[in-house]
Amino acid sequence: MSTQAAVFLDRDGVINNDTGYVSQWSEFVFLPGAIEAMQRLSRAGYALIVVTNQSGIARGYYSEQDFATLTQHMRHELSRQGASIAGSIIALIISTASLLSTENPVPAESLRQACYCVRSTITILMPNALPLSG
């Protein structure tokens, strides 16, 4: 099994303009320089992992499907421009949270059963190989 160095990027405020509860592609605006930076990281051989808190799902402001659709558009646009996303990690935090992969979403109703901080969970995951999907 081969390994690949990875870069973990927060979505809102790092990749896109954080206007609050961005849930539709029409609301999504890449920050200046974000695509170029991700292109450079991709060309340098890094796997790009998007890490994001989407409390708007847990709050009922938008659905998991809305998030999945927006993520699909974002991934397509980045891929088209030479910056491929290897995977995503999402936390749905209000007062408690759960970590899940966008490839295997967990129903929002079940999210209040576990509490993980995105940062501490990543620290736990990092010593292990993360399976990445293109």
Side-chain angles (χ1 to χ4, degrees), residues 3-65:
T3 60
Q4 180 179 11
V7 174
F8 293 81
L9 301 165
D10 189 14
R11 192 191 83 173
D12 298 326
V14 174
I15 296 173
N16 65 287
N17 187 20
D18 185 1
T19 58
Y21 304 109
V22 176
S23 63
Q24 303 294 318
W25 182 241
S26 61
E27 303 167 339
F28 191 95
V29 177
F30 285 102
L31 284 174
I35 293 173
E36 294 81 3
M38 295 170 78
Q39 289 168 333
R40 291 181 68 186
L41 289 166
S42 288
R43 282 194 305 265
Y46 290 96
L48 303 179
I49 313 293
V50 176
V51 181
T52 182
N53 177 27
Q54 293 297 312
S55 68
I57 296 171
R59 294 174 193 272
Y61 296 164
Y62 51 92
S63 70
E64 293 172 73
Q65 185 57 52

Side-chain angles (χ1 to χ4, degrees), residues 44-106:
Y46 290 96
L48 303 179
I49 313 293
V50 176
V51 181
T52 182
N53 177 27
Q54 293 297 312
S55 68
I57 296 171
R59 294 174 193 272
Y61 296 164
Y62 51 92
S63 70
E64 293 172 73
Q65 185 57 52
D66 291 335
F67 173 77
T69 300
L70 173 80
T71 300
Q72 181 180 13
H73 283 291
M74 178 188 73
R75 290 176 78 148
H76 174 76
E77 181 60 25
L78 288 169
S79 178
R80 191 180 72 74
Q81 296 201 39
S84 184
I85 301 297
S88 300
I89 299 172
I90 175 177
L92 310 179
I93 299 174
I94 298 178
S95 60
T96 60
S98 180
L99 181 72
L100 61 132
S101 162
T102 55
E103 288 77 24
N104 298 302
V106 172

